[in-house]
Structures are given as C-alpha cells and as structure tokens.
C-alpha cells in the first residue's frame, strides 16, 4: 500500500490550508484519495472543520 500527500484548502476569512498524508492503492482514483484526506483531517481536528468553500489537490503519490 502506498501513500499520497494531499493539500486541502478551506476558504475561510483566515484561508485555512492543510497538508495530509493518507494511504492509497496504486490504482485508486483521485476522488477516493481526496475523500480519505478530508476524513483524516476531520479526525485530526477533533471531529469538526471550519465552514467554507473546499478545494483539494494531490501533491504526490508514492507507491
């Protein structure tokens, strides 16, 4: 199982930006990896994250 590094942005007044590392398979589609990253961020932040427009970008995939 490989890893993926995902940059997550939440457009709040402060402009929240996070970088999360999640596990992934070589053939996982981007949407699944991004969904895992949002889930991990929510868990890391204690169950809630700020409201705002959200964007995500996969920076790197390591097999």
């Amino acid at each position: 199982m490989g890893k993926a590094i995902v940059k997550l942005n939440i457009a709040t007044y402060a402009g929240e930006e996070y970088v999360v590392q999640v596990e992934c398979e070589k053939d996982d589609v981007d949407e699944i990896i991004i969904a895992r990253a949002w889930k991990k961020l929510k868990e890391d932040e204690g169950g809630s994250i700020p409201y705002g427009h959200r964007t995500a970008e996969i920076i790197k995939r390591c097999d």
Side-chain angles (χ1 to χ4, degrees):
M1 185 167 267
K3 303 265 184 198
I5 300 172
V6 183
K7 182 169 72 170
L8 305 168
N9 292 304
I10 303 174
T12 62
Y13 291 113
E16 305 286 331
E17 184 172 285
Y18 305 92
V19 177
V20 178
Q21 181 174 329
V22 294
E23 294 185 0
C24 67
E25 294 292 334
K26 184 170 61 170
D27 58 347
D28 281 348
V29 294
D30 291 351
E31 288 81 11
I32 291 175
I33 295 170
I34 290 170
R36 286 183 189 144
W38 283 115
K39 182 178 179 183
K40 182 171 182 353
L41 176 65
K42 188 173 180 181
E43 290 171 358
D44 291 349
E45 293 295 311
S48 66
I49 51 179
Y51 290 105
H53 179 72
R54 298 175 182 179
T55 59
E57 174 187 1
I58 297 174
I59 298 173
K60 184 177 181 183
R61 290 176 82 156
C62 307
D63 294 333

